Amino acid sequence: MADTDAAAAEPVRFKSNYAVSRKIEPFYKGGRIQISRDGKFMFCPCGSKVNVLDVETGALLHSLQQEEEEDVTAFVLSPDDEVLLTSSRALLLRQWHWREPRCARAWRALHPLPVATMACDSTATLLATGGCDSTIKVWDMVKHYCTHNLKGSSGVVHLVEFHPDISRLQLFSSSMDYKIRIWDLNSSKCVAVLDGHFSAVTSLAFADGNTLLSSGRDKICMVWDLESRESKRTIPVYETVEAAVLLPEKGDFSQLGVKKQGLHFVTAGSKGILRVWEVASAGCVYSQPVPFAPREEPSERSLCQCLWVPARGELVTVSLEHNVMFYEAQTLQLRKQLAGYNEEVLDVKFLGPGDSHIVVATNSPQLKVFELATSHCQILYGHTETIMALDVFRKGLMFVTCAKDRSIRVWRMGKAGRVVCVAQGLGHAHGVGAVACSRMKESFVVTSSQDCTIKIWNIPESLTSKAKAASISSPETLHARVTEKGHNKDINSVAVSPNDKLLATGSQDRLAKLWSCSDCSLLGVFSGHRRGIWCVQFSPVDQVLATSSADGTLKLWGLRDFSCLKTFEGHDASVLKIIFVSRGAQLLSSGSDGLLKLWTIKTNECVKTLDGHEDKIWGLHSNKQDDMVVTASSDSCITLWQDVTEIEEKEAQAKQEEQIMKEQELSNLLHEHRYLRALGLAISLDRPHTVLTVVKAILKEPEGRKHLEENIVRLRKDQKEAVLAFLVTWNTNSRNCHEAQAVLEILLKHEAPDSLLQFSGIKPAVESLLPYTERHFQRLSRLLQASMFIDFMWQHMRLGDTAQQDNGTL
């Protein structure tokens, strides 16, 4: 209570702005990835670009973007890691200096159809491209021309590899006829055809100069003798194989069942696990434990690529779900996992005692838990259909998910950050669309469903106790304590009050309702929205409920009389999520237009509109410190926003103090008649009026024109450019035109025409100066004429007076 009182005593700091601190975006959408020889960088195709990532942090360093925005069909990294080569659907090949990043050269691929595969030789001087037109072309990368056009393949050429011994000048390829062809580059002829596979060949690996390992989708791997060009052994692997990687002969792989000397290899394929095979016995010596629920569809867990990275001592696999996994080579223990593509993101919450992780529900049955520091992603299996929503308990170690499979699951994070499912519950007749956890203790969960019912589930103490939870071997079964029909249409949102005594629901029937948590009895109805309600939230400090609706408004309701206290209008589309920030003094809302809005409750004012997504923002959550927000959208992006109010206030204060100091210094310089310094300072402040004041002060001095000329001439070129821009503004006002024309005269007098033409903005400046200058001269001409007329009248009046005086004298 003391901490609460102390917190309450502190003044509320209103937020004014959030800035994007990080984005978790799709970086891989299918195709072959590559990793640099030093193991530091990963290259992933993603539509029309190739993304370069830092392997350690998972951070996107830069993207190599095709100018024509056509999809990349194949790419290859040179063995020396210096050059990246890409091909696109526009039938262009490009050579990139990827570290800069810069496209060094682009040329026509000469293939009439897109290139399907590429390979570099060990010297990085030859490039082979295999096309959908059944031909293979070899390019000299030094002299930049096509050296070979190899014909004879059948269908798409989907695999090309150079023999590692460059002195042999041999190229290996495979196409849709399932044969492996050996091409002699000296004679440009196919010298052998290795025929043994009955389906597509997926990978080639050279054990030594005379031994080749091939894998295929026909569920076999074959070992070939390149001298006799015949098969030495066929190894049935009983799964569609997408990649086979040879294990190094040097190294301790005893934990993988490698007991004898000889050739061993690792396969990755449709079963989603890595397996180690011994060539001599044609047997499997090690299989990875299955890391997922057996009910998962095999296609969802298939591996489509496997790489050996010697620099990291790791095996890297890529799944059909676009996840990249890094395994310790000697034990095949998972070290790290990166999620390349998240599909549509439906919900997101901060997780962990220090909000070190985020848990994400995407348009799939799997959960993703991201460690923010390293981008490591855990994939959690359990649900069998799309997960719709999730909520985290107050301590941040346990959370609950609900899905279309009509079930809920309770998950717990251990000390090492590993998350396991500790309980599950069934009972709803339709998909479960909303879930809310108790706020004070980890004691119950509330769910709502498309069956229009609300269920309250008790959480057993055995799950909340760390010691007991650690001993749970399989998920406990939860049973609903209370079931109540709540609405006539789908219930979109449910929330629990901070004291765990009340719960609120929002439905497609345009109503929000208040219920008692103890027996789920109805306490009141909130009626006023014109369309369905998407979200309900209790205020953390007041007896107030906030609702957001498809009618584009947010409303605050009193819990005592169920009346509408305030309405916030500003969104042009459905408001999907709302949260309280600034200790309940402000609201943050997200819409289906991809916008976030920050509202101050007291003034009904929208303080800030943030544009960070291109589609509906389904997920919105604030961390415990209330200084960060995470959003998740249908555009597959997860964005972390940092509260920058205090930073901006400090910057503004520092800028203001600096301005005051400069203005004081300017006043002192004017007082001391140090006009050159004063001019320079006024220009640096970017204040046209202040510069004009200095010019006027100089002109008031004895020989002011001379002093002004001396000072203007001594200015730097950039300062003269600034003065020219300023005098354009002065010249628009007749009061200041004399000073403007004086400065302009000095510039025209001392700057050569060629030099003036180099000034930035000279053209618009001249276009603006001419009409106003003509107007000033016309006014001066009229003034001169008027003065001459007055002088004429005055002279004649004087002549008349003189004549009268003369007559009087006479």
Side-chain angles (χ1 to χ4, degrees), residues 64-136:
L64 310 177
Q65 178 76 50
Q66 306 282 334
E67 287 179 11
E68 67 280 358
E69 295 191 356
E70 290 282 351
D71 282 358
V72 174
T73 57
F75 78 96
V76 67
L77 181 68
S78 62
D80 58 5
D81 286 350
E82 291 303 316
V83 174
L84 189 86
L85 298 135
T86 63
S87 66
S88 70
R89 290 196 180 277
L91 307 181
L92 285 175
L93 296 175
R94 277 191 169 84
Q95 182 176 324
W96 301 84
H97 294 305
W98 60 270
R99 296 177 195 273
E100 299 180 13
R102 174 174 60 87
C103 179
R105 194 168 71 94
W107 70 99
R108 301 296 298 179
L110 300 183
H111 289 275
L113 294 173
V115 172
T117 183
M118 303 171 75
C120 264
D121 76 330
S122 57
T123 63
T125 56
L126 294 177
L127 169 71
T129 57
C132 296
D133 58 348
S134 307
T135 67
I136 302 164

Side-chain angles (χ1 to χ4, degrees), residues 211-255:
T211 305
L212 174 70
L213 173 71
S214 65
S215 66
R217 293 194 179 122
D218 51 5
K219 304 185 179 182
I220 61 169
C221 289
M222 299 186 74
V223 181
W224 304 87
D225 186 332
L226 296 181
E227 283 188 346
S228 63
R229 292 166 183 170
E230 291 182 355
S231 169
K232 287 168 44 176
R233 188 171 291 275
T234 299
I235 303 163
V237 294
Y238 309 109
E239 69 169 318
T240 301
V241 184
E242 293 295 333
V245 176
L246 288 163
L247 282 179
E249 300 222 359
K250 293 181 180 178
D252 180 14
F253 296 100
S254 57
Q255 293 187 57

Side-chain angles (χ1 to χ4, degrees), residues 648-664:
E648 287 184 348
E649 285 175 358
K650 286 180 179 177
E651 286 177 355
Q653 187 178 352
K655 195 173 181 180
Q656 188 178 3
E657 289 174 359
E658 186 182 359
Q659 291 285 94
I660 292 168
M661 293 293 289
K662 283 186 176 180
E663 285 173 4
Q664 182 60 50

Side-chain angles (χ1 to χ4, degrees), residues 144-399:
H144 303 149
Y145 71 97
C146 181
T147 60
H148 299 75
N149 185 22
L150 308 176
K151 297 180 179 179
S153 300
S154 175
V156 176
V157 180
H158 58 259
L159 192 61
V160 288
E161 289 286 347
F162 284 96
H163 193 286
D165 184 357
I166 193 61
S167 63
R168 294 195 183 190
L169 273 178
Q170 286 183 339
L171 181 70
F172 291 70
S173 72
S174 182
S175 60
M176 296 307 292
D177 60 2
Y178 317 141
K179 295 178 174 61
I180 301 168
R181 287 178 171 81
I182 305 175
W183 305 85
D184 184 350
L185 299 183
N186 288 311
S187 62
S188 298
K189 291 181 179 178
C190 177
V191 294
V193 176
L194 308 182
D195 191 357
H197 285 281
F198 300 97
S199 188
V201 177
T202 53
S203 70
L204 299 175
F206 296 90
D208 53 45
N210 292 316
T211 305
L212 174 70
L213 173 71
S214 65
S215 66
R217 293 194 179 122
D218 51 5
K219 304 185 179 182
I220 61 169
C221 289
M222 299 186 74
V223 181
W224 304 87
D225 186 332
L226 296 181
E227 283 188 346
S228 63
R229 292 166 183 170
E230 291 182 355
S231 169
K232 287 168 44 176
R233 188 171 291 275
T234 299
I235 303 163
V237 294
Y238 309 109
E239 69 169 318
T240 301
V241 184
E242 293 295 333
V245 176
L246 288 163
L247 282 179
E249 300 222 359
K250 293 181 180 178
D252 180 14
F253 296 100
S254 57
Q255 293 187 57
L256 302 181
V258 178
K259 307 295 183 186
K260 304 174 185 175
Q261 290 291 322
L263 213 55
H264 292 77
F265 62 93
V266 180
T267 58
S270 58
K271 291 187 177 178
I273 58 173
L274 295 174
R275 296 196 288 172
V276 182
W277 301 82
E278 185 180 51
V279 171
S281 63
C284 177
V285 295
Y286 178 83
S287 287
Q288 252 186 335
V290 179
F292 33 69
R295 288 177 292 178
E296 290 297 318
E297 289 294 325
S299 60
E300 292 182 352
R301 56 183 186 249
S302 296
L303 300 177
C304 57
Q305 193 181 353
C306 185
L307 298 169
W308 166 248
V309 187
R312 296 179 62 86
E314 290 177 341
L315 274 168
V316 179
T317 64
V318 182
S319 74
L320 283 181
E321 292 177 319
H322 307 108
N323 300 317
V324 184
M325 290 150 281
F326 296 78
Y327 293 97
E328 203 280 315
Q330 295 183 337
T331 61
L332 292 188
Q333 293 296 313
L334 182 65
R335 280 184 179 173
K336 187 172 188 172
Q337 184 166 222
L338 301 175
Y341 186 61
N342 290 318
E343 298 186 59
E344 185 176 1
V345 188
L346 301 180
D347 206 354
V348 62
K349 292 285 189 293
F350 282 102
L351 183 66
D355 296 317
S356 55
H357 296 67
I358 55 172
V359 55
V360 180
T362 61
N363 194 18
S364 76
Q366 290 84 45
L367 273 172
K368 292 178 180 174
V369 178
F370 290 89
E371 186 179 6
L372 295 176
T374 63
S375 298
H376 172 53
C377 175
Q378 293 179 66
I379 309 292
L380 305 181
Y381 297 86
H383 287 287
T384 55
E385 291 187 52
T386 300
I387 297 167
M388 298 298 294
L390 56 94
D391 197 17
V392 180
F393 287 100
R394 184 172 60 89
K395 291 181 181 178
L397 291 172
M398 286 177 64
F399 64 96

Side-chain angles (χ1 to χ4, degrees), residues 46 85 175 345 490 523 541 549 614 625 632 721:
C46 188
L85 298 135
S175 60
V345 188
D490 293 2
L523 301 177
V541 291
S549 166
E614 296 176 359
Q625 296 293 325
E721 288 175 349

Side-chain angles (χ1 to χ4, degrees), residues 382-452:
H383 287 287
T384 55
E385 291 187 52
T386 300
I387 297 167
M388 298 298 294
L390 56 94
D391 197 17
V392 180
F393 287 100
R394 184 172 60 89
K395 291 181 181 178
L397 291 172
M398 286 177 64
F399 64 96
V400 184
T401 56
C402 61
K404 283 184 178 179
D405 60 10
R406 300 179 290 180
S407 74
I408 69 165
R409 283 180 176 263
V410 182
W411 308 80
R412 187 181 185 90
M413 175 182 277
K415 287 183 178 178
R418 185 169 172 268
V419 179
V420 293
C421 179
V422 293
Q424 61 181 334
L426 278 168
H428 281 287
H430 290 84
V432 188
V435 63
C437 299
S438 55
R439 308 297 354 140
M440 296 184 73
K441 292 182 179 180
E442 299 164 338
S443 54
F444 68 89
V445 172
V446 182
T447 59
S448 61
S449 164
Q450 291 175 340
D451 60 13
C452 305

